[in-house]
Amino acid sequence: MNAPRSLLRAAAAVASLLLAPVVLAQPHPDALRLLDTWLAAQQRSLQLPALSVAVQQGDGALWSRAYGFVDAARQRPARGDTLYGICSISKVFTASAVMRQVEQGRYALDDDMARLLPDAGLPAAGAEHGALTVRSLLTHSSGLAREAAFPYWEPPAFNFPTRAQLRATPPEALSAPRQHLHYSNHGIALLGELVERQGGLPFGDWVQQQLLAPLGLKDTRPLLPAELLGTRLAQGWSAPDRQGRRQPVPVYEARAMTPSAGFSSSVEDLVRFGQWHLQAPVAAGVSPLTPAGRREMQRVQFQDPQDRRLRGLVWRLADEGGERVVMHDGLCPGQVSLLALVPQQGLALALAVSANHSAWIDDYLGRPARQLLLRGRSLSASDPGLREFAGRYDESPWTSETWLLPWGERLLMLSLPSADPLQEATVFAPAGRDAFRVQRDDGSLGEWLRFERDAQGQVRRALMSHQGMPRVERLAP
């Protein structure tokens, strides 16, 4: 039986994936291959209608892949430039627009919003607390309620308020500013109103002219282009019911809430936008923000006194394994997305899915993908001789599919689907002709992995603990 081998592999999964560091201008090709293989399995196992991913490190080439289909008839494959509703990632574009106006001298981050928008019904500065400022809105520490007083997240209409309706509805203040981190879509919508009034143009037009066009973001819009649904714009889907069925979700128009939740983009454009925030030069030569302005957005601006969460200017900040991660996710009706940056490594990662899911996208896609790419930094150059052993192996009934892939100078074994590919992978070091052994993190060696060849000399089967599994798919060129 194969059960003992599966248990042995689980115990051996603590084997180290680290080798001597090699400085890379872009993610290691073995890490990208593993990411591609893992995401394809995630898309199938989670029954995600469409999934797109893009990665870029420094000035290296932009890498993207896509899985599934964008239309209900499953005729149009998803692509790296497929459009998705990015919902709350819209806030990063709005914050960038605000910072542009700050750098233009129109107002300051610590200006009182009640003075800048005197007819918005905002609370005035009190004797015991300071003013509700531009900065407090950008850090979600304004004390304002999460939503405006309209039921715009209710299906099937998703009836968002107009600007006139929002202007006539003062926001609800739950606490004084700078007391707690309390996420507020209404607060960011007010900043969109500020951008519009200060810029002298409708919010979407100003953002297009002052931000999107100079950055060359041709797939990013301050709206969801309903006319492209099922061709360029992915059809959105609900979370599955108990029978696993998803329902199509209509395209919505965010209207006055566009600054908070109304943009659409592709993962390729999101990575380009992320690289600009990581100080990449602008092709046109004129950046909408100075490097100092972009750094200011990523700096810790507020920490919740209770749960210690960190915020920059709209960016969510976290520390993972000694690396600062700067990110924002988007959760829309029928669409979810993530943009994550690792400034010290110059890494930008974007993911988008055309369906709702009960878990947070960073948990089931983002964090594992990010950690996989970062671990790839430590790999040595890939050994081309390992490709003859690589491919998909049949380990049924124990796993759905098992892959052996080159991992620098070693082989990596991973059964899919997997919630955490790095933790669940096993790494093998070469140990003679057609033979490898588990390598632990202290360098000691464990169980053998051997290969059998057919009459033509091609690898046909792998054996571990004397139990065999045939190869059913070779690694693509």
Side-chain angles (χ1 to χ4, degrees):
M1 293 179 64
N2 286 2
R5 185 175 79 251
S6 297
L7 292 173
L8 189 152
R9 289 228 325 265
V14 297
S16 171
L17 300 180
L18 296 175
L19 288 175
V22 175
V23 177
L24 296 175
Q26 57 188 8
H28 196 287
D30 289 352
L32 291 174
R33 183 187 296 112
L34 177 57
L35 177 64
D36 186 17
T37 304
W38 175 68
L39 285 176
Q42 287 293 90
Q43 184 264 331
R44 291 191 299 271
S45 66
L46 297 175
Q47 299 182 23
L48 305 175
L51 164 62
S52 297
V53 58
V55 175
Q56 189 175 22
Q57 186 167 358
D59 58 359
L62 189 152
W63 178 94
S64 67
R65 293 291 186 274
Y67 319 89
F69 298 89
V70 302
D71 60 325
R74 297 175 56 83
Q75 298 298 311
R76 292 181 177 270
R79 307 189 316 187
D81 63 354
T82 290
L83 303 178
Y84 297 83
I86 60 171
C87 215
S88 286
I89 299 177
S90 305
K91 294 176 175 67
V92 185
F93 290 92
T94 299
S96 300
V98 169
M99 281 300 297
R100 176 154 176 77
Q101 291 190 342
V102 167
E103 291 193 331
Q104 290 173 338
R106 298 172 187 262
Y107 48 87
L109 286 173
D110 293 316
D111 280 356
D112 187 344
M113 282 293 296
R115 181 183 63 81
L116 295 172
L117 296 179
D119 56 346
L122 293 169
E128 297 182 0
H129 59 79
L132 192 161
T133 64
V134 175
R135 191 189 305 271
S136 66
L137 288 175
L138 287 171
T139 56
H140 293 290
S141 63
S142 66
L144 298 185
R146 182 182 181 95
E147 305 296 350
F150 300 90
Y152 40 83
W153 296 122
E154 290 185 11
F158 302 111
N159 190 16
F160 284 82
T162 64
R163 286 211 174 272
Q165 290 173 319
L166 193 66
R167 287 168 181 162
T169 309
E172 179 185 5
L174 302 178
S175 67
R178 306 292 288 180
Q179 302 298 306
H180 301 283
L181 199 162
H182 188 85
Y183 196 85
S184 178
N185 283 318
H186 196 167
I188 302 299
L190 290 170
L191 289 173
E193 178 77 8
L194 176 63
V195 168
E196 181 167 309
R197 294 193 191 186
Q198 293 287 330
L201 289 173
F203 171 78
D205 293 346
W206 197 92
V207 169
Q208 180 64 46
Q209 291 182 19
Q210 297 288 321
L211 188 66
L212 304 181
L215 294 178
L217 301 179
K218 298 179 181 179
D219 286 338
T220 304
R221 300 164 171 85
L223 53 83
L224 273 67
E227 71 277 8
L228 300 180
L229 183 65
T231 56
R232 290 291 315 287
L233 177 65
Q235 169 66 59
W237 297 87
S238 70
D241 61 20
R242 286 191 173 189
Q243 287 72 45
R245 297 171 301 196
R246 297 182 185 271
Q247 300 300 321
V249 177
V251 175
Y252 64 91
E253 182 182 356
R255 298 189 180 99
M257 302 303 292
T258 293
S260 289
F263 282 58
S264 61
S265 189
S266 67
V267 293
E268 292 179 353
D269 250 16
L270 287 177
V271 159
R272 295 184 187 102
F273 182 60
Q275 281 295 340
W276 171 67
H277 268 279
L278 293 175
Q279 313 302 335
V282 177
V286 180
S287 174
L289 286 182
T290 65
R294 285 170 276 173
R295 286 194 299 270
E296 179 69 11
M297 290 183 65
Q298 298 170 39
R299 180 176 68 83
V300 175
Q301 303 274 348
F302 185 78
Q303 183 173 33
D304 188 274
Q306 293 187 6
D307 61 22
R308 314 306 293 171
R309 285 177 296 166
L310 302 173
R311 281 281 175 182
L313 299 182
V314 304
W315 288 113
R316 177 175 175 264
L317 309 178
D319 291 315
E320 297 179 0
E323 299 277 8
R324 170 57 54 84
V325 179
V326 178
M327 72 181 84
H328 212 296
D329 65 306
L331 174 58
C332 299
Q335 314 263 344
V336 294
S337 52
L338 177 73
L339 174 60
L341 314 178
V342 185
Q344 289 174 296
Q345 303 301 326
L347 179 68
L349 165 70
L351 291 149
V353 176
S354 66
N356 292 125
H357 191 70
S358 58
W360 183 34
I361 186 172
D362 198 51
D363 288 338
Y364 68 92
L365 292 177
R367 186 181 298 108
R370 195 163 56 246
Q371 292 175 348
L372 188 159
L373 291 168
L374 291 176
R375 189 65 62 85
R377 295 172 306 161
S378 60
L379 293 179
S380 61
S382 186
D383 180 355
L386 296 175
R387 291 185 63 88
E388 66 174 325
F389 305 103
R392 180 167 61 91
Y393 287 76
D394 182 5
E395 201 182 4
S396 61
W398 311 111
T399 69
S400 297
E401 53 186 283
T402 294
W403 284 84
L404 282 165
L405 297 169
W407 190 249
E409 296 177 338
R410 299 180 289 177
L411 273 179
L412 179 144
M413 179 183 286
L414 178 64
S415 294
L416 296 172
S418 166
D420 193 336
L422 285 187
Q423 289 299 316
E424 297 175 9
T426 306
V427 175
F428 297 85
R433 176 173 170 76
D434 294 348
F436 297 79
R437 293 184 70 179
V438 170
Q439 188 171 39
R440 304 184 183 95
D441 56 3
D442 63 359
S444 62
L445 300 177
E447 193 72 25
W448 286 88
L449 174 69
R450 293 183 171 91
F451 292 87
E452 293 181 350
R453 297 178 182 268
D454 59 21
Q456 289 72 42
Q458 300 296 314
V459 170
R460 70 178 187 89
R461 197 164 74 126
L463 297 99
M464 188 173 177
S465 300
H466 306 288
Q467 316 303 311
M469 50 182 176
R471 182 162 68 174
V472 295
E473 181 182 344
R474 298 181 186 276
L475 191 64

